[in-house]
Amino acid sequence: MKNNFLSLIAGLISLTLLSACFLVSCNNKNKSESGQSVETNSGNSETGTYDASDMLNPFETESDGSSGGQALEGGEDSDSESNTFSESDSKDSEGDNNESDQASPSLRFISYGNGTCTVSGIGTYEDVYVIIPERSPEGDIVTSIEDKAFYDNPNIKAVQLPSTVSTIGDRAFAGCSSLVYISVDKNNKMFSDSEGVLYSKDGSRLIAFPAANAAQEIDISIRVKEICNMAFYECDNLQRINYGGTFEDWNKISIGELNYGLLSAAISCIQSK
């Protein structure tokens, strides 16, 4: 009797151990299938990697759940940490002039001698993401970008403009065949961006549609009265313009030189005469 009892106890213990092992195995399988593994979200994960075809602002970061921006990850020769930029980083702090440390290296500045300066070019800088600071390394406030400052640069993919810039010269970003996105600080009083396209703050001037923008069509508001020189230069992807006014309104827009991408696209006017 005693031996039968011990055998029964041993059988129950074995059954309990087998059940426990089965539950642990199932739990691990469920975790793996639900994507909870930390390794899948690091290193080679495609999530958060900036691609030239993406239309999210590459200079915004997901600092919290409310942000719709995207972390910016550099090319093979750079890491994501050194290329990540957030708007809070660009705020000028008095007595702590660290902003120039975030700026793209080797940008060329010309001082006006009155505490302000202009960006005249990119120098020997070879990275693809250009961050223009609010102040030059010498401490001058950056108020303008020279004519053709970045003209015909084949490497630049994205440009961040600060709140302090009030003047952008003619064809400053023209011919930049890899340019996807132009981002403007929301506190800038003279310029703004919409899906990477550069406008005057009031929307009356369309200044630059990045040549490598993947969009095949664009909506142009009836507020637009001027399209600047080479704003649509080499925009080979663009096929259609959706204009908010009538054909009569469209023909009144002042269209600058060498806007081949614009002139070759089909025009669709939302309003009828």
Side-chain angles (χ1 to χ4, degrees):
M1 182 67 137
K2 182 177 180 180
N3 289 336
N4 290 338
F5 179 74
L6 291 175
S7 297
L8 178 62
I9 294 299
L12 290 173
I13 291 173
S14 298
L15 182 60
T16 302
L17 291 174
L18 287 172
S19 299
C21 290
F22 179 76
L23 289 173
V24 170
S25 177
C26 290
N27 188 41
N28 288 337
K29 182 178 180 182
N30 289 336
K31 284 185 177 181
S32 177
E33 292 176 349
S34 63
Q36 293 179 4
S37 174
V38 175
E39 294 180 0
T40 61
N41 291 325
S42 63
N44 295 327
S45 172
E46 293 183 2
T47 303
T49 301
Y50 175 71
D51 186 271
S53 63
D54 291 337
M55 289 314 299
L56 292 177
N57 185 342
F59 293 99
E60 291 182 356
T61 58
E62 276 189 272
S63 57
D64 54 41
S66 62
S67 175
Q70 179 176 351
L72 175 61
E73 196 168 289
E76 294 180 0
D77 296 330
S78 60
D79 53 55
S80 59
E81 182 175 341
S82 63
N83 284 300
T84 302
F85 178 85
S86 63
E87 285 188 2
S88 60
D89 293 333
S90 71
K91 305 303 179 187
D92 181 44
S93 74
E94 295 295 333
D96 184 5
N97 191 20
N98 292 326
E99 185 179 312
S100 60
D101 295 337
Q102 300 171 6
S104 299
S106 83
L107 284 173
R108 294 199 300 261
F109 300 90
I110 299 176
S111 177
Y112 291 130
N114 60 356
T116 65
C117 67
T118 183
V119 176
S120 62
I122 198 169
T124 58
Y125 184 60
E126 296 181 352
D127 206 346
V128 295
Y129 306 108
V130 175
I131 300 175
I132 298 175
E134 293 186 354
R135 290 181 181 272
S136 70
E138 290 72 28
D140 290 334
I141 299 174
V142 179
T143 58
S144 65
I145 299 172
E146 289 280 280
D147 292 354
K148 297 185 176 181
F150 301 98
Y151 181 80
D152 214 22
N153 185 293
N155 301 317
I156 300 173
K157 288 186 177 180
V159 177
Q160 166 74 55
L161 304 181
S163 62
T164 54
V165 169
S166 58
T167 304
I168 296 176
D170 187 40
R171 312 178 201 212
F173 304 106
C176 295
S177 57
S178 298
L179 185 60
V180 175
Y181 205 105
I182 300 173
S183 176
V184 182
D185 188 290
K186 64 182 180 181
N187 294 316
N188 190 298
K189 296 180 179 179
M190 299 302 294
F191 303 102
S192 64
D193 69 89
S194 177
E195 297 182 340
V197 181
L198 180 62
Y199 291 88
S200 60
K201 191 71 172 184
D202 62 2
S204 65
R205 295 171 63 225
L206 195 160
I207 301 166
F209 181 92
N213 188 311
Q216 294 185 347
E217 62 182 73
I218 179 178
D219 296 335
I220 294 183
S221 168
I222 194 172
R223 294 195 308 271
V224 173
K225 306 301 180 186
E226 178 186 357
I227 296 175
C228 296
N229 292 330
M230 299 182 76
F232 287 89
Y233 186 70
E234 294 185 343
C235 300
D236 297 331
N237 295 320
L238 190 63
Q239 298 180 13
R240 184 183 182 88
I241 306 293
N242 299 316
Y243 178 59
T246 65
F247 277 107
E248 184 179 44
D249 296 327
W250 174 260
N251 289 328
K252 292 179 181 178
I253 295 176
S254 174
I255 299 177
E257 300 176 350
L258 304 178
N259 278 295
Y260 301 132
L262 177 69
L263 299 177
S264 63
I267 308 295
S268 175
C269 293
I270 297 174
Q271 295 183 21
S272 59
K273 186 173 180 181

